[in-house]
Amino acid sequence: MRKTFNLLFVCLIALYGRIGYQIIHNTDLPQCQPEGSLSDVAEEVIAIPLETNKHCSLKKIRMIKRDREDLFLVSDRQLYHFNSSGKFLGQITTHRSETGQPVELADYAVDPVHDRLIVIGTGHEVYYYDYDGKLLFQSILPQDASWKTFGHIAYYDNHLWATIDLINSENEQAPTVEQWLYKFDLEFKEAGKRKLDVADLGRMEINHKTGPEIAVKDGHVYVQSPSLQPAHILNDTLYLIYSNQLDITEDYAQILPLQIGTRFLVSTHYDPTLPEHSYTFCYDQQETKAYNVQGGLEDNFYKTGKIPELQSIDLQSNTYCYCKSGKELAYSFPRRTNKDNPVLFIVKMKA
C-alpha cells in the first residue's frame, strides 16, 4: 500500500510538472522575431580600427577583454595589447626565455587590481605579465589526477575562477565526467569548488555542456554555455524565468543556456565552419520581446552585414563586441584593406 501511494505521488508530481511546462509552451507568449538589427538591443556601438604594423598583423581575433583604456585580444594563440583608440601597444606573449619557443596561450585572465595578465599555456604552465609585457614570474597549474580538462578562467573579486571537467572513477566499470566550478586565489591555491549540473528546462536536455564560461550577476558567479538548440531557446528562457531559476545565489550550481544582463538575456552561438548556422538570441526583459536571428543580428550602425559572432566582453553581460575586416568594412571604412588588422566594435546594450 505504501509503495503504491509513493508511486502515485511521484506520478502526480511528474504530471503537474508536465502540465506546467505545457502551459508555458501553449500560453499566448511573446514570439521570437526571426529578424533583428543591432539597434534593437544596442544603445551605442563604438568602432576601434586596430593599428596595423610589421609587429602586429592579425587575422582571426578572439578572447577580447579590457581594463578601462586597455584592450587585450588573442590571435593565433598569442596575446596582444591595444589601447581604446586602437593603437598597438605590444605583444604580451613572446618566447620562453629557457627554450626560445613561443608561448602558446590556452586562456588568460585580466587582474585589474594589480595590472597583471595571468596566462595559461597549452602545457598547463602559468605566466604572470604586467601590461607592458614584462614577465613577472611563472609557475604551473596544480595537478589533480581527476582533472580531465582545465577550461575557461576569469578574474573576479580578487580570485580566479575556472571551469574544470573531472573524472569521477568511484565506479571503475563506468567512470563519469563531471563539470565543476573552482575558486582559486591568485596563485592557484584552491579556495572553494562546486559541482555543476545543467539547468532544469522542463524537458530532456544533454547533461554535459561544452566550453562553459564564467559570468556574474548580483555579485555572484555562475556558469553559462549557449544553447545548441535555438528552436527551443524562447521556451527554455520562459521556463527558467517562471521557475525562478535566474536568481543567482552565492552557491549557484546550474549551467545556464543564457547570459544574464541588466535588461537582456542573451544566448549566442558561432559556428566557424557554417557561419550562416550561427544564431543570436536576445530576450528583452523590459519589453518582453525576443529576437532569435539565424546568422546573427544585422549591423545597422556601421553597415557591415550580419554579426555571426557576438562576444561578451564583461562578466556582467552588458557589453559585447564583434570584429570585421576586408569587404565587410567597405561602407564605413572604405580605405581599409584585407591586409589591415580588423576593426573591433564595442556594443553597449540598452539598459
Side-chain angles (χ1 to χ4, degrees):
M1 184 71 179
R2 189 179 186 84
K3 289 183 179 179
T4 303
F5 174 79
N6 289 339
L7 180 60
L8 289 172
F9 181 75
V10 170
C11 291
L12 188 63
I13 293 296
L15 177 63
Y16 275 114
R18 181 62 182 169
I19 290 172
Y21 184 67
Q22 289 176 338
I23 288 172
I24 288 174
H25 280 244
N26 297 330
T27 306
D28 185 15
L29 294 170
Q31 297 298 309
C32 280
Q33 301 296 323
E35 297 181 355
S37 298
L38 200 51
S39 62
D40 292 322
V41 299
E43 181 178 311
E44 73 172 334
V45 180
I46 299 172
I48 304 176
L50 300 177
E51 179 187 348
T52 307
N53 61 41
K54 62 181 181 180
H55 302 293
C56 177
S57 180
L58 311 177
K59 298 301 179 185
K60 177 66 178 175
I61 66 177
R62 59 194 185 95
M63 296 185 185
I64 298 103
K65 302 181 183 183
R66 71 175 177 179
D67 174 22
R68 292 156 294 192
E69 297 300 306
D70 293 287
L71 287 169
F72 304 97
L73 53 88
V74 173
S75 177
D76 196 24
R77 292 194 180 276
Q78 297 298 304
L79 180 59
Y80 296 89
H81 183 196
F82 292 82
N83 68 13
S84 60
S85 299
K87 180 177 176 57
F88 174 62
L89 300 181
Q91 181 175 340
I92 303 297
T93 52
T94 51
H95 293 81
R96 300 183 180 94
S97 58
E98 67 276 13
T99 64
Q101 296 298 313
V103 173
E104 291 193 344
L105 178 147
D107 203 355
Y108 76 103
V110 179
D111 175 357
V113 175
H114 302 97
D115 294 338
R116 294 188 308 188
L117 299 158
I118 303 170
V119 174
I120 309 296
T122 53
H124 287 189
E125 64 276 20
V126 185
Y127 302 92
Y128 294 78
Y129 296 93
D130 66 17
Y131 285 4
D132 294 325
K134 178 184 177 182
L135 180 63
L136 303 173
F137 60 97
Q138 65 184 75
S139 61
I140 193 85
L141 282 176
Q143 301 299 305
D144 188 316
S146 68
W147 291 2
K148 180 178 183 288
T149 306
F150 193 96
H152 291 291
I153 65 168
Y155 173 99
Y156 180 71
D157 193 24
N158 207 38
H159 286 84
L160 295 168
W161 303 76
T163 55
I164 295 177
D165 288 359
L166 59 81
I167 299 174
N168 184 340
S169 55
E170 287 184 4
N171 183 348
E172 296 182 0
Q173 302 301 318
T176 57
V177 177
E178 298 176 346
Q179 295 184 285
W180 287 71
L181 175 64
Y182 275 70
K183 179 181 180 181
F184 298 102
D185 69 12
L186 299 182
E187 295 180 355
F188 281 98
K189 294 177 182 176
E190 187 181 315
K193 61 183 178 182
R194 68 187 86 150
K195 184 178 180 297
L196 302 171
D197 292 301
V198 296
D200 170 25
L201 302 177
R203 62 181 179 86
M204 294 296 293
E205 170 67 325
I206 299 170
N207 62 2
H208 188 277
K209 295 297 183 182
T210 57
E213 299 198 9
I214 294 154
V216 172
K217 179 179 183 283
D218 298 331
H220 301 307
V221 174
Y222 70 98
V223 174
Q224 61 85 22
S225 178
S227 174
L228 298 182
Q229 297 177 301
H232 294 278
I233 190 64
L234 175 60
N235 288 331
D236 291 345
T237 300
L238 297 173
Y239 187 85
L240 289 167
I241 292 171
Y242 295 149
S243 57
N244 296 318
Q245 293 186 69
L246 298 184
D247 295 330
I248 307 302
T249 57
E250 183 177 359
D251 297 317
Y252 195 84
Q254 296 189 79
I255 303 175
L256 290 172
L258 299 160
Q259 302 171 54
I260 308 172
T262 301
R263 175 169 170 177
F264 289 92
L265 305 176
V266 177
S267 183
T268 176
H269 174 66
Y270 173 63
D271 186 341
T273 57
L274 294 168
E276 65 277 10
H277 289 179
S278 305
Y279 79 89
T280 295
F281 169 84
C282 297
Y283 180 82
D284 188 338
Q285 298 180 93
Q286 182 172 306
E287 297 188 3
T288 60
K289 182 188 298 184
Y291 303 88
N292 192 358
V293 185
Q294 191 171 13
L297 296 166
E298 188 73 26
D299 176 10
N300 59 342
F301 281 82
Y302 290 92
K303 295 180 170 50
T304 65
K306 282 186 174 289
I307 306 165
E309 187 173 17
L310 193 63
Q311 306 174 53
S312 176
I313 201 173
D314 72 330
L315 294 177
Q316 288 74 23
S317 305
N318 291 317
T319 309
Y320 289 79
C321 67
Y322 60 98
C323 301
K324 295 284 187 171
S325 58
K327 294 180 180 179
E328 294 176 308
L329 299 171
Y331 180 85
S332 298
F333 297 89
R335 296 186 180 181
R336 205 89 176 162
T337 70
N338 286 325
K339 294 181 179 180
D340 289 318
N341 281 335
V343 175
L344 174 65
F345 298 89
I346 306 293
V347 180
K348 181 181 177 182
M349 301 292 276
K350 293 178 180 178

